[in-house]
Amino acid sequence: MASSSMVMAATMNDLPDVILSIIFSSVSDTRTRNSLSLVNRKFLALERSTRTSLTLRGKARDIYMIPTCFRSVTHLDLSLLSPWGRSDLLSSTSSDSFLLAHRLRLAFPLVTSLTVYARSPSTLHILLPQWPDLSHVKLIRWHQRPQSPHLGNDLVPLLTYCQALSSIDLSSFYYWTEDIPPVLQAYPSVSKALKCLDLLTASLADGFKSEEIQAITAACPSLTKLLLVCVFDPSYFGCVGDETLLAIVANCPKLRVLHLVDRASLGSTRGEPEDDGYTRDDARISKVGLVDFFTGLPLLQELVLDVHQNVRDSALALEALPSKCPELKLLKLGHFHGICMAIESQLDGVALCSGLVSLTIKNSADLTDMGLIEIGRGCCKLAKFEVEGCKKITMKGMRTMASLLHKTLIEVKISCCKNLNAAASLRSLEPIQGRIERLHLDCVWEGLEEDGGILCFDLNEGLCQSFEHEHGSKRKKSRYSSDPDPSSYCMQGNGNGMFSKSWDRLKYLSLWIGAGVLLTPLPTAGLYDCPNLEEIRIKVEGDCRTGHKPSQREFGLSCLAYYPRLSKMLLDCSDTIGFALTAPSGQMDLTLWERFFLNGIGNLSLYEVDYWPPQDRDVNQRSLTLPGAGLLAECLAVRKLFIHGTAHEHFIMFLLRIPNLRDMQLREDYYPASENDTCTEMRVGSCCRFEDALNRRQILD
């Protein structure tokens, strides 16, 4: 009987195909899907039929290796074909270009969404006719715009061949702002059908002016999503003001997602904590204009207004948002002052937007702790909160806000706030320490001793006393918190000021740190126990040419070994400036700085690494050095390695020592990517020789 019951036991293979298809469709990890396809022929057929998205990473010259079993793919990404950004087979100069395009169409006949690196219009002339039903196209180009007597020449093939186009993404495509309005006006039938237009390109020298924005929105009246880089500076002709905002409303009343960002706000560099938060000029945006703007967009769900110019006394205008835009879920404000007056216990300003799920406040000069508390009381559904460049908020206000939102808040960013260093930021988040999933903070180690990193004061006791002093009795405190006793969040220290509670759900950690500052105090500052941390991003910024030599041999990556599940790291040193060639006496060149940053990386069990080398802006060089290549070669567990820069061929050959390395690529995804790299002798042939050597190796799995 026992053997009979074992034979009759049901397995996953006995489930109906419809249910199995739903299960397979919910699996997003590529390697997991590949493993499923190896179980049996039925699973193979189901996996292939439910695979709708695919990114090709092979060499474009190997036409015979194009996979032909993914015929259900609707989203195809060709932007990472190797060598990156230099695929001659997708240009008119190659005799095999049309054959490659034809093979791609036969292999992926159902494609409706395409991502491609297009250095010249010829690439689009070859590819786009293969899929006439394309509805979404994302173009990528970090190289300079080719010279052309006609504005918008790069986009003409896009609007010519794709008559069913509804979405265009140019967020990673270098163009001129003058290119966009003429080409949209020249193809009115396609432009009028567009639903999504993403022009939020960080590499632009200037943003769109008022006349250009009005022309774009007039040509695309059906837009539901619009992202633009704008000029809000009143010292420029054609700056964006009330007139432009009202024109957007009149031309595109169906907008659900609207991002208007000043060019100066797109930079990746951190602000100056000592600034008072006010700019020299005020934006030409009035309170009445904002109210009329909100009134005209009743369907709005996401709004970003990062104007980089003062918008004063904005509380009254923001109070109109809940009634004028009842579906609003995401709000980001930059340089808006007076967003929450916090007068007594009356809610006002942005605190009245009770439906918000995500709120970002940048450079609000007069935001105080009481303002944060009012936001915590009013915006009770917040799952994501970011605060940047607000100089008057402290740990008390941030901690109280976290207490009020301890049931919903799971993602927090605290950056460039003068009174919130790393230790204070982590202390303020203790009420949600067991819930938070994504976190960004600045590695400012004030309050930590240099010799051991031990906290110099007990913030727990001080905070409880200050909270009691400020709000009086427990009855009065309960007015600001859903917890009957907010002081219960003041946790007992362990004698040295460290936390006694684990960050159980933290999966993603983002850090900013100055060049020359050590990372080693990170665990002691409060992030010692993160058992589920999987991904970390470290942004290193500073001018190494003016700083002193580091006091220690290594940056401190070894301290990340505290996190047992850490598998992915993004180390971004792109805003670290130094001498690529010979440094003056007493200074270190980028070779020594790269050794400092990467020392200890071999101690981590990383699966995927993205690395941006430091740069020398005077010669536009971001190159992997010999010490950097040697230290990266010590990452024995790495399977994916992406270097966002260039390298000598004999340097990257060091990376063949990594036994499990399967995917490695050099990407110059920054502007301007060099047309002909003469500094590192990194040619197309060099990349191909390395990839051939990599593919000849035996990979255990």
Side-chain angles (χ1 to χ4, degrees):
M1 292 294 293
S3 60
S4 176
S5 62
M6 291 179 62
V7 172
M8 297 300 293
T11 65
M12 184 176 177
N13 199 44
D14 297 323
L15 291 174
D17 289 353
V18 176
I19 296 178
L20 283 175
S21 297
I22 296 174
I23 296 174
F24 276 55
S25 299
S26 64
V27 179
S28 57
D29 182 68
T30 302
R31 296 203 72 196
T32 302
R33 295 187 67 99
N34 292 340
S35 299
L36 286 172
S37 67
L38 298 176
V39 174
N40 52 43
R41 292 183 181 275
K42 179 180 179 180
F43 276 32
L44 173 63
L46 285 170
E47 195 282 325
R48 295 298 187 255
S49 65
T50 57
R51 180 85 69 108
T52 59
S53 178
L54 188 69
T55 299
L56 291 186
R57 265 287 292 113
K59 292 176 288 187
R61 58 192 173 122
D62 294 338
I63 300 177
Y64 65 93
M65 295 187 68
I66 295 176
T68 58
C69 55
F70 300 100
R71 300 185 63 82
S72 298
V73 166
T74 57
H75 174 77
L76 181 63
D77 188 345
L78 303 176
S79 64
L80 300 179
L81 286 175
S82 189
W84 183 90
R86 291 181 170 86
S87 178
D88 295 333
L89 284 178
L90 290 176
S91 65
S92 57
T93 58
S94 172
S95 58
D96 295 329
S97 57
F98 291 97
L99 175 60
L100 172 61
H102 179 68
R103 288 294 304 274
L104 288 171
R105 181 178 63 83
L106 294 179
F108 312 105
L110 303 180
V111 170
T112 58
S113 175
L114 179 67
T115 302
V116 61
Y117 196 99
R119 289 185 66 173
S120 66
S122 61
T123 300
L124 301 181
H125 279 294
I126 295 169
L127 280 178
L128 296 183
Q130 309 302 323
W131 298 286
D133 296 328
L134 283 175
S135 60
H136 170 78
V137 175
K138 179 176 181 178
L139 301 182
I140 299 177
R141 179 174 68 196
W142 293 99
H143 291 83
Q144 296 186 21
R145 174 186 180 275
Q147 296 296 324
S148 173
H150 305 290
L151 293 175
N153 190 50
D154 290 328
L155 303 178
V156 168
L158 183 60
L159 300 181
T160 301
Y161 298 116
C162 304
Q163 295 297 313
L165 198 62
S166 63
S167 175
I168 300 176
D169 187 346
L170 303 181
S171 58
S172 300
F173 184 78
Y174 179 70
Y175 58 89
W176 292 349
T177 57
E178 298 91 335
D179 289 329
I180 305 301
V183 73
L184 291 177
Q185 293 169 340
Y187 295 86
S189 59
V190 179
S191 300
K192 289 180 180 179
L194 283 178
K195 301 293 184 181
C196 304
L197 184 60
D198 188 348
L199 302 176
L200 202 61
T201 312
S203 57
L204 292 180
D206 293 307
F208 287 94
K209 296 180 173 59
S210 177
E211 297 80 3
E212 295 167 335
I213 295 174
Q214 294 183 42
I216 291 171
T217 54
C220 308
S222 301
L223 285 177
T224 60
K225 180 178 179 180
L226 176 63
L227 292 79
L228 287 172
V229 184
C230 306
V231 177
F232 285 99
D233 192 341
S235 62
Y236 284 79
F237 290 108
C239 69
V240 174
D242 287 344
E243 180 183 356
T244 311
L245 296 182
L246 296 179
I248 294 175
V249 169
N251 294 332
C252 304
K254 300 178 183 179
L255 281 173
R256 294 180 178 271
V257 177
L258 178 61
H259 294 197
L260 302 177
V261 182
D262 189 87
R263 173 64 187 85
S265 297
L266 284 178
S268 59
T269 56
R270 180 174 179 259
E272 176 54 55
E274 299 300 327
D275 288 347
D276 61 1
Y278 292 101
T279 57
R280 183 185 59 183
D281 299 316
D282 293 349
R284 293 182 179 175
I285 299 176
S286 65
K287 294 186 286 291
V288 175
L290 280 175
V291 173
D292 293 340
F293 175 63
F294 299 150
T295 304
L297 297 174
L299 304 178
L300 201 61
Q301 297 176 353
E302 292 186 18
L303 175 62
V304 174
L305 291 175
D306 195 350
V307 301
H308 202 69
Q309 305 295 325
N310 299 321
V311 180
R312 301 178 186 269
D313 303 324
S314 57
L316 290 176
L318 295 174
E319 289 178 1
L321 266 176
S323 59
K324 306 300 182 183
C325 308
E327 299 182 25
L328 189 67
K329 302 297 181 184
L330 182 148
L331 178 63
K332 180 176 180 179
L333 302 173
H335 282 88
F336 275 63
H337 311 299
I339 62 172
C340 186
M341 303 305 296
I343 301 175
E344 296 182 350
S345 60
Q346 185 70 30
L347 297 181
D348 65 274
V350 73
L352 292 175
C353 300
S354 58
L356 288 179
V357 176
S358 174
L359 175 62
T360 301
I361 302 173
K362 290 181 61 178
N363 302 106
S364 182
D366 53 2
L367 181 66
T368 63
D369 287 345
M370 290 306 298
L372 286 180
I373 295 173
E374 296 300 311
I375 292 173
R377 291 175 56 208
C379 304
C380 55
K381 298 179 182 179
L382 280 183
K384 177 180 178 181
F385 179 68
E386 297 182 356
V387 59
E388 181 177 348
C390 298
K391 310 302 188 294
K392 293 186 177 182
I393 62 174
T394 68
M395 183 181 61
K396 292 190 297 182
M398 193 66 208
R399 186 185 180 101
T400 309
M401 181 185 186
S403 300
L404 294 167
L405 298 172
H406 70 276
K407 293 183 178 180
T408 60
L409 196 59
I410 60 173
E411 182 174 352
V412 177
K413 176 180 179 180
I414 303 174
S415 179
C416 199
C417 296
K418 182 179 180 180
N419 299 313
L420 286 170
N421 56 29
S425 297
L426 293 172
R427 291 289 186 184
S428 68
L429 297 177
E430 280 186 356
I432 57 172
Q433 191 168 339
R435 290 184 49 85
I436 193 167
E437 298 178 3
R438 298 174 66 89
L439 172 65
H440 171 91
L441 56 88
D442 295 344
C443 295
V444 180
W445 307 126
E446 296 175 0
L448 296 175
E449 294 180 354
E450 294 182 357
D451 55 354
I454 304 301
L455 291 176
C456 300
F457 45 86
D458 190 346
L459 288 173
N460 284 324
E461 180 180 356
L463 180 62
C464 293
Q465 292 176 352
S466 62
F467 198 101
E468 184 75 24
H469 179 269
E470 180 175 353
H471 299 293
S473 66
K474 293 183 180 179
R475 179 176 300 178
K476 188 171 183 179
K477 285 187 286 185
S478 66
R479 186 179 65 182
Y480 297 103
S481 174
S482 58
D483 192 284
D485 185 8
S487 65
S488 63
Y489 290 110
C490 297
M491 302 168 56
Q492 297 297 323
N494 58 6
N496 63 357
M498 292 176 59
F499 294 115
S500 59
K501 186 178 179 183
S502 170
W503 300 77
D504 293 328
R505 299 187 184 180
L506 186 64
K507 295 183 178 180
Y508 173 87
L509 177 63
S510 173
L511 303 172
W512 176 94
I513 189 168
V517 179
L518 300 181
L519 186 64
T520 47
L522 180 65
T524 309
L527 283 171
Y528 180 83
D529 190 6
C530 303
N532 295 307
L533 183 63
E534 299 174 352
E535 180 179 351
I536 188 168
R537 181 184 184 104
I538 304 173
K539 174 73 174 180
V540 185
E541 179 187 332
D543 194 341
C544 299
R545 300 170 299 182
T546 58
H548 300 287
K549 291 184 179 180
S551 58
Q552 302 294 328
R553 178 174 174 269
E554 62 179 72
F555 175 52
L557 291 180
S558 298
C559 73
L560 302 180
Y562 282 112
Y563 311 129
R565 300 192 63 180
L566 184 64
S567 61
K568 182 177 181 180
M569 182 173 74
L570 295 87
L571 180 57
D572 186 355
C573 301
S574 59
D575 286 319
T576 303
I577 314 301
F579 297 101
L581 306 176
T582 304
S585 177
Q587 297 289 330
M588 300 197 321
D589 60 19
L590 290 182
T591 300
L592 299 178
W593 277 106
E594 194 162 40
R595 175 183 293 164
F596 168 74
F597 291 131
L598 291 175
N599 246 325
I601 194 172
N603 298 329
L604 308 178
S605 299
L606 297 172
Y607 176 86
E608 180 176 344
V609 175
D610 278 75
Y611 176 57
W612 286 259
Q615 64 167 314
D616 188 337
R617 289 178 178 172
D618 293 337
V619 295
N620 189 31
Q621 182 174 345
R622 305 187 190 190
S623 176
L624 184 69
T625 63
L626 177 59
L631 290 168
L632 287 173
E634 296 179 0
C635 300
L636 302 182
V638 165
R639 187 178 179 90
K640 297 183 179 182
L641 175 60
F642 305 114
I643 299 173
H644 302 262
T646 62
H648 288 276
E649 181 177 356
H650 58 284
F651 288 175
I652 63 172
M653 288 298 177
F654 280 92
L655 304 177
L656 295 175
R657 300 177 181 177
I658 304 176
N660 294 317
L661 185 62
R662 186 68 183 89
D663 192 2
M664 186 273 174
Q665 193 171 43
L666 295 174
R667 300 173 182 172
E668 295 178 80
D669 48 358
Y670 51 85
Y671 181 81
S674 56
E675 296 290 337
N676 296 300
D677 185 11
T678 59
C679 298
T680 61
E681 302 177 359
M682 197 69 213
R683 304 289 190 269
V684 171
S686 303
C687 294
C688 293
R689 284 189 291 271
F690 171 79
E691 292 187 346
D692 289 339
L694 184 65
N695 293 331
R696 283 195 299 266
R697 302 187 312 160
Q698 291 294 326
I699 305 296
L700 297 179
D701 57 350

